[in-house]
Amino acid sequence: MLNKKLLAAAVASTLIAPFALADVTIYGTMNASVENVKADGATNAANNLGSVNRLSSNTTKLGFKGTDDLGDGMKALWQIEQEVSIDDGGTRKGTFATRNSFVGVEGGFGRILLGNNDTVYKSIAKAGMVNTMGDTIADVCSDKAVFCRGDARLQNSIHYYTKNYSGFQGGASYGFDEVRTTVGGARTNKARWSLAASYTDGGLSAGFGYDVQQQKNAVAGNTNLDQTFMKLSLGYKFGDTKLGLGYEHEKNEKSTGDLKQSAWTVGAEQKFGKVAVGLIYATMGESKSGAKDGADQLTLGATYDLSKRTQTYAYYTRITNEDAATRTFGGAGLSGVGAGSNPTGLGIGMKVNF
C-alpha cells in the first residue's frame, strides 16, 4: 500500500511540476460594441448596403505568454495569441494562434522572434499617431481603410528589435515565401521585409517605416514588380493634449505602369480626467490622374475609464470613397462595399483588459 501511495505521489508531481515551474501569463481583451452600420452612395446604387444594427466583437483576444531565464542576461520568450469572437460563439475564429504568436530570445543585443507576428512597419512606425478608437471599426490605422495600408502580420517570419537606446528603437522583419510559384517559366520569391525605427523624448514621438513585398505583381516576362510602402509619423503630447500627424506612400509596380498613392492623417486627443475625446481625419489621394480611387475617413470618438482595466466608449466614423474606391472598415469590417460607396458606423461599447 505504501509503495502505491508513493507511486501515485510521484506521478502527480510530474504532472503538476510543469505548471508550477513555468512562468506563464494569461492575458487578453474583451471588447464588444453595439453598432449601426451602412454603406450608401455607391456608383451603382444596387451595391449600396442598407442600415444594419449589430453586435461586434471587435479585437477580442486571448493570449498566453512566458519567459525562461537562460542566464548571463538572456531569456527565452514565447507567446500564443488568438482572436476570439464573443458575439457569435466563436464561429468566425475557428483556428488558433492567428494573432502574434512566436518563440524567441532576448538579451543585450535586443530581441529576436520567430513565428506569426506583426511587421516592424506595423508595430514601430506609427509611434507618433493619434488613434483614439483603435481596435474598432472607427480605427484609422488599418490595411483595409485609408491609412496604414502597408500594415501586415507575417506568417513564417523572423523579427529583430534593438534595445531602447536613449529613446531610439529600430527593427527589421522578414517573411519567407515558402511557395515560390512559377510565373511564365520563372520561379518567383515573394518574400516580404520591413525596416522601422521610432524615437521618443518627453512628449515628442516619431516613427519611420519601409516595407517591401517582392515580386507581388509578377507577370510572364517581368517578375520584378514589387509593392512598397513608406510611413512617417510625428506626435507631441503636452499635459492632457496629444497631437499626431502621419504620412504614408505606396508604390505598386505594374506591367501596365506604376501606381503611386499617398495618404495623410492628422489627429488630436484631449483628456478630461477619466474622459478622452479624439478627432482624427485621414485622406488618400488617387493612384494616378483620373483614377478616382482616393478616399477620406473621419472618426470622432470618446472613451471613459471605469477603472485601470475597464473602459466604455462611443464613436462615429465615415469613409468617403471616390467613384472607383472600395475602402472599408478594419476590425469587425463591413464586407461587400461597392465602388464609390461610403461606409458609415455609429456605436457604443465596452472593453476590459486582463
Short mmCIF file of all heavy atoms in Angstrom, two decimals, residues 33-73:
data_model
loop_
_atom_site.label_atom_id
_atom_site.label_comp_id
_atom_site.label_asym_id
_atom_site.label_seq_id
_atom_site.Cartn_x
_atom_site.Cartn_y
_atom_site.Cartn_z
N SER A 33 -19.20 45.95 -28.97
CA SER A 33 -19.93 47.20 -29.16
C SER A 33 -21.24 46.94 -29.91
O SER A 33 -21.35 46.01 -30.71
CB SER A 33 -19.09 48.21 -29.94
OG SER A 33 -18.70 47.70 -31.20
N VAL A 34 -22.23 47.77 -29.62
CA VAL A 34 -23.48 47.79 -30.37
C VAL A 34 -23.35 48.88 -31.42
O VAL A 34 -23.03 50.04 -31.09
CB VAL A 34 -24.67 48.08 -29.43
CG1 VAL A 34 -25.98 48.15 -30.23
CG2 VAL A 34 -24.77 47.00 -28.36
N GLU A 35 -23.61 48.52 -32.69
CA GLU A 35 -23.33 49.43 -33.79
C GLU A 35 -24.50 49.53 -34.75
O GLU A 35 -25.31 48.59 -34.88
CB GLU A 35 -22.12 48.95 -34.60
CG GLU A 35 -20.85 48.79 -33.80
CD GLU A 35 -19.77 48.08 -34.60
OE1 GLU A 35 -20.10 47.35 -35.56
OE2 GLU A 35 -18.59 48.26 -34.24
N ASN A 36 -24.51 50.64 -35.47
CA ASN A 36 -25.33 50.78 -36.66
C ASN A 36 -24.38 51.09 -37.82
O ASN A 36 -23.60 52.03 -37.74
CB ASN A 36 -26.36 51.90 -36.51
CG ASN A 36 -27.16 52.12 -37.80
OD1 ASN A 36 -26.77 52.92 -38.65
ND2 ASN A 36 -28.26 51.40 -37.93
N VAL A 37 -24.42 50.26 -38.86
CA VAL A 37 -23.51 50.43 -40.00
C VAL A 37 -24.30 50.43 -41.31
O VAL A 37 -25.36 49.80 -41.41
CB VAL A 37 -22.44 49.32 -40.05
CG1 VAL A 37 -21.51 49.41 -38.84
CG2 VAL A 37 -23.08 47.94 -40.12
N LYS A 38 -23.74 51.12 -42.30
CA LYS A 38 -24.32 51.14 -43.63
C LYS A 38 -23.25 51.59 -44.61
O LYS A 38 -22.17 52.07 -44.22
CB LYS A 38 -25.52 52.08 -43.69
CG LYS A 38 -25.17 53.55 -43.43
CD LYS A 38 -26.40 54.43 -43.52
CE LYS A 38 -26.03 55.91 -43.27
NZ LYS A 38 -27.23 56.79 -43.40
N ALA A 39 -23.53 51.44 -45.90
CA ALA A 39 -22.64 51.94 -46.94
C ALA A 39 -23.52 52.39 -48.11
O ALA A 39 -24.05 51.55 -48.85
CB ALA A 39 -21.64 50.88 -47.39
N ASP A 40 -23.71 53.69 -48.24
CA ASP A 40 -24.57 54.21 -49.29
C ASP A 40 -23.77 55.07 -50.26
O ASP A 40 -22.58 55.30 -50.07
CB ASP A 40 -25.71 55.03 -48.69
CG ASP A 40 -25.22 56.14 -47.76
OD1 ASP A 40 -24.00 56.43 -47.77
OD2 ASP A 40 -26.03 56.71 -47.02
N GLY A 41 -24.40 55.49 -51.34
CA GLY A 41 -23.76 56.36 -52.32
C GLY A 41 -22.90 55.64 -53.34
O GLY A 41 -22.06 56.27 -54.00
N ALA A 42 -23.08 54.32 -53.51
CA ALA A 42 -22.27 53.56 -54.46
C ALA A 42 -22.46 54.06 -55.89
O ALA A 42 -23.54 54.56 -56.24
CB ALA A 42 -22.61 52.08 -54.38
N THR A 43 -21.44 53.90 -56.70
CA THR A 43 -21.52 54.29 -58.10
C THR A 43 -22.69 53.57 -58.77
O THR A 43 -23.42 54.15 -59.58
CB THR A 43 -20.20 53.94 -58.82
OG1 THR A 43 -19.12 54.57 -58.12
CG2 THR A 43 -20.22 54.43 -60.26
N ASN A 44 -22.86 52.30 -58.43
CA ASN A 44 -24.03 51.52 -58.84
C ASN A 44 -24.92 51.36 -57.62
O ASN A 44 -24.56 50.66 -56.68
CB ASN A 44 -23.60 50.16 -59.38
CG ASN A 44 -24.77 49.30 -59.83
OD1 ASN A 44 -25.92 49.66 -59.62
ND2 ASN A 44 -24.47 48.17 -60.45
N ALA A 45 -26.06 52.01 -57.63
CA ALA A 45 -26.93 52.03 -56.45
C ALA A 45 -27.31 50.64 -55.98
O ALA A 45 -27.63 50.44 -54.80
CB ALA A 45 -28.19 52.85 -56.74
N ALA A 46 -27.25 49.64 -56.87
CA ALA A 46 -27.59 48.27 -56.49
C ALA A 46 -26.59 47.71 -55.49
O ALA A 46 -26.87 46.70 -54.82
CB ALA A 46 -27.66 47.38 -57.73
N ASN A 47 -25.40 48.33 -55.38
CA ASN A 47 -24.36 47.84 -54.47
C ASN A 47 -24.39 48.52 -53.11
O ASN A 47 -23.52 48.27 -52.27
CB ASN A 47 -22.98 48.04 -55.11
CG ASN A 47 -22.79 47.18 -56.34
OD1 ASN A 47 -23.30 46.07 -56.41
ND2 ASN A 47 -22.06 47.70 -57.32
N ASN A 48 -25.36 49.39 -52.88
CA ASN A 48 -25.48 50.01 -51.56
C ASN A 48 -25.80 48.95 -50.50
O ASN A 48 -26.49 47.97 -50.78
CB ASN A 48 -26.59 51.06 -51.56
CG ASN A 48 -26.20 52.32 -52.29
OD1 ASN A 48 -25.01 52.61 -52.44
ND2 ASN A 48 -27.18 53.09 -52.74
N LEU A 49 -25.28 49.15 -49.30
CA LEU A 49 -25.58 48.27 -48.17
C LEU A 49 -26.45 49.05 -47.20
O LEU A 49 -26.05 50.08 -46.66
CB LEU A 49 -24.29 47.82 -47.48
CG LEU A 49 -23.29 47.06 -48.35
CD1 LEU A 49 -22.02 46.74 -47.57
CD2 LEU A 49 -23.91 45.77 -48.89
N GLY A 50 -27.65 48.54 -46.97
CA GLY A 50 -28.60 49.23 -46.11
C GLY A 50 -28.19 49.23 -44.65
O GLY A 50 -27.32 48.47 -44.21
N SER A 51 -28.83 50.08 -43.89
CA SER A 51 -28.53 50.23 -42.47
C SER A 51 -28.80 48.93 -41.71
O SER A 51 -29.85 48.29 -41.88
CB SER A 51 -29.38 51.36 -41.88
OG SER A 51 -29.19 51.47 -40.50
N VAL A 52 -27.83 48.52 -40.86
CA VAL A 52 -27.94 47.29 -40.08
C VAL A 52 -27.51 47.57 -38.64
O VAL A 52 -26.46 48.19 -38.41
CB VAL A 52 -27.06 46.17 -40.67
CG1 VAL A 52 -27.06 44.95 -39.74
CG2 VAL A 52 -27.53 45.78 -42.05
N ASN A 53 -28.31 47.12 -37.69
CA ASN A 53 -27.91 47.14 -36.28
C ASN A 53 -27.25 45.81 -35.96
O ASN A 53 -27.74 44.75 -36.38
CB ASN A 53 -29.11 47.35 -35.37
CG ASN A 53 -29.75 48.71 -35.57
OD1 ASN A 53 -29.05 49.71 -35.76
ND2 ASN A 53 -31.07 48.75 -35.55
N ARG A 54 -26.14 45.84 -35.22
CA ARG A 54 -25.41 44.60 -34.95
C ARG A 54 -24.60 44.71 -33.66
O ARG A 54 -24.38 45.81 -33.14
CB ARG A 54 -24.48 44.27 -36.12
CG ARG A 54 -23.34 45.25 -36.29
CD ARG A 54 -22.49 44.91 -37.50
NE ARG A 54 -21.24 45.66 -37.48
CZ ARG A 54 -20.28 45.54 -38.40
NH1 ARG A 54 -20.43 44.70 -39.41
NH2 ARG A 54 -19.15 46.24 -38.30
N LEU A 55 -24.14 43.57 -33.19
CA LEU A 55 -23.20 43.49 -32.07
C LEU A 55 -21.88 43.00 -32.62
O LEU A 55 -21.82 41.95 -33.27
CB LEU A 55 -23.72 42.53 -31.00
CG LEU A 55 -22.80 42.33 -29.79
CD1 LEU A 55 -22.73 43.60 -28.95
CD2 LEU A 55 -23.27 41.16 -28.92
N SER A 56 -20.81 43.75 -32.38
CA SER A 56 -19.49 43.38 -32.91
C SER A 56 -18.52 43.07 -31.78
O SER A 56 -18.51 43.74 -30.74
CB SER A 56 -18.91 44.52 -33.76
OG SER A 56 -19.62 44.65 -34.96
N SER A 57 -17.69 42.04 -32.00
CA SER A 57 -16.72 41.60 -31.01
C SER A 57 -15.44 42.43 -31.07
O SER A 57 -14.62 42.38 -30.15
CB SER A 57 -16.38 40.12 -31.23
OG SER A 57 -15.48 39.66 -30.27
N ASN A 58 -15.24 43.16 -32.17
CA ASN A 58 -14.03 43.98 -32.34
C ASN A 58 -12.77 43.13 -32.15
O ASN A 58 -12.77 41.95 -32.48
CB ASN A 58 -14.07 45.20 -31.42
CG ASN A 58 -15.27 46.09 -31.72
OD1 ASN A 58 -15.55 46.36 -32.88
ND2 ASN A 58 -15.99 46.49 -30.69
N THR A 59 -11.70 43.69 -31.61
CA THR A 59 -10.48 42.90 -31.40
C THR A 59 -10.52 42.32 -29.99
O THR A 59 -9.92 42.84 -29.06
CB THR A 59 -9.22 43.75 -31.61
OG1 THR A 59 -9.28 44.33 -32.91
CG2 THR A 59 -7.97 42.88 -31.51
N THR A 60 -11.29 41.24 -29.85
CA THR A 60 -11.32 40.49 -28.59
C THR A 60 -10.31 39.36 -28.72
O THR A 60 -10.31 38.63 -29.71
CB THR A 60 -12.73 39.94 -28.34
OG1 THR A 60 -13.61 41.04 -28.11
CG2 THR A 60 -12.74 39.02 -27.13
N LYS A 61 -9.44 39.22 -27.74
CA LYS A 61 -8.33 38.28 -27.88
C LYS A 61 -8.00 37.61 -26.56
O LYS A 61 -8.29 38.13 -25.47
CB LYS A 61 -7.09 39.00 -28.41
CG LYS A 61 -6.59 40.12 -27.49
CD LYS A 61 -5.50 40.95 -28.16
CE LYS A 61 -5.06 42.08 -27.23
NZ LYS A 61 -4.09 42.98 -27.87
N LEU A 62 -7.37 36.44 -26.68
CA LEU A 62 -6.90 35.68 -25.53
C LEU A 62 -5.47 35.24 -25.82
O LEU A 62 -5.18 34.76 -26.92
CB LEU A 62 -7.78 34.46 -25.29
CG LEU A 62 -7.35 33.49 -24.19
CD1 LEU A 62 -7.43 34.16 -22.83
CD2 LEU A 62 -8.22 32.24 -24.22
N GLY A 63 -4.58 35.42 -24.84
CA GLY A 63 -3.18 35.08 -25.07
C GLY A 63 -2.52 34.42 -23.88
O GLY A 63 -2.95 34.56 -22.73
N PHE A 64 -1.46 33.69 -24.18
CA PHE A 64 -0.61 33.06 -23.18
C PHE A 64 0.84 33.41 -23.53
O PHE A 64 1.23 33.30 -24.70
CB PHE A 64 -0.78 31.53 -23.19
CG PHE A 64 -2.19 31.07 -23.05
CD1 PHE A 64 -3.01 30.97 -24.15
CD2 PHE A 64 -2.69 30.75 -21.80
CE1 PHE A 64 -4.32 30.54 -24.02
CE2 PHE A 64 -4.00 30.31 -21.65
CZ PHE A 64 -4.82 30.21 -22.77
N LYS A 65 1.61 33.83 -22.56
CA LYS A 65 3.00 34.18 -22.82
C LYS A 65 3.86 33.85 -21.62
O LYS A 65 3.36 33.72 -20.50
CB LYS A 65 3.14 35.66 -23.19
CG LYS A 65 2.71 36.63 -22.10
CD LYS A 65 2.82 38.07 -22.60
CE LYS A 65 2.34 39.06 -21.53
NZ LYS A 65 2.44 40.46 -22.02
N GLY A 66 5.16 33.71 -21.88
CA GLY A 66 6.04 33.38 -20.78
C GLY A 66 7.50 33.60 -21.13
O GLY A 66 7.84 33.92 -22.28
N THR A 67 8.35 33.44 -20.15
CA THR A 67 9.79 33.60 -20.32
C THR A 67 10.52 32.48 -19.59
O THR A 67 9.95 31.82 -18.70
CB THR A 67 10.28 34.95 -19.76
OG1 THR A 67 10.01 35.00 -18.35
CG2 THR A 67 9.60 36.12 -20.45
N ASP A 68 11.75 32.26 -19.98
CA ASP A 68 12.61 31.29 -19.30
C ASP A 68 14.00 31.90 -19.18
O ASP A 68 14.62 32.26 -20.19
CB ASP A 68 12.68 29.99 -20.11
CG ASP A 68 13.48 28.91 -19.40
OD1 ASP A 68 13.61 29.00 -18.16
OD2 ASP A 68 13.98 27.99 -20.07
N ASP A 69 14.47 32.07 -17.96
CA ASP A 69 15.77 32.68 -17.70
C ASP A 69 16.88 31.74 -18.16
O ASP A 69 17.02 30.61 -17.68
CB ASP A 69 15.92 32.98 -16.21
CG ASP A 69 17.15 33.81 -15.90
OD1 ASP A 69 17.97 34.05 -16.82
OD2 ASP A 69 17.30 34.24 -14.74
N LEU A 70 17.70 32.21 -19.11
CA LEU A 70 18.79 31.40 -19.66
C LEU A 70 20.13 31.73 -19.02
O LEU A 70 21.14 31.10 -19.34
CB LEU A 70 18.89 31.63 -21.18
CG LEU A 70 17.62 31.33 -21.98
CD1 LEU A 70 17.85 31.64 -23.45
CD2 LEU A 70 17.17 29.89 -21.79
N GLY A 71 20.15 32.72 -18.13
CA GLY A 71 21.40 33.13 -17.50
C GLY A 71 22.17 34.11 -18.36
O GLY A 71 21.89 34.32 -19.55
N ASP A 72 23.16 34.76 -17.76
CA ASP A 72 24.02 35.73 -18.46
C ASP A 72 23.20 36.83 -19.12
O ASP A 72 23.55 37.34 -20.21
CB ASP A 72 24.88 35.03 -19.52
CG ASP A 72 25.86 34.05 -18.92
OD1 ASP A 72 26.36 34.32 -17.80
OD2 ASP A 72 26.12 33.00 -19.55
N GLY A 73 22.09 37.24 -18.50
CA GLY A 73 21.28 38.34 -19.00
C GLY A 73 20.40 37.99 -20.18
O GLY A 73 19.83 38.89 -20.82
#
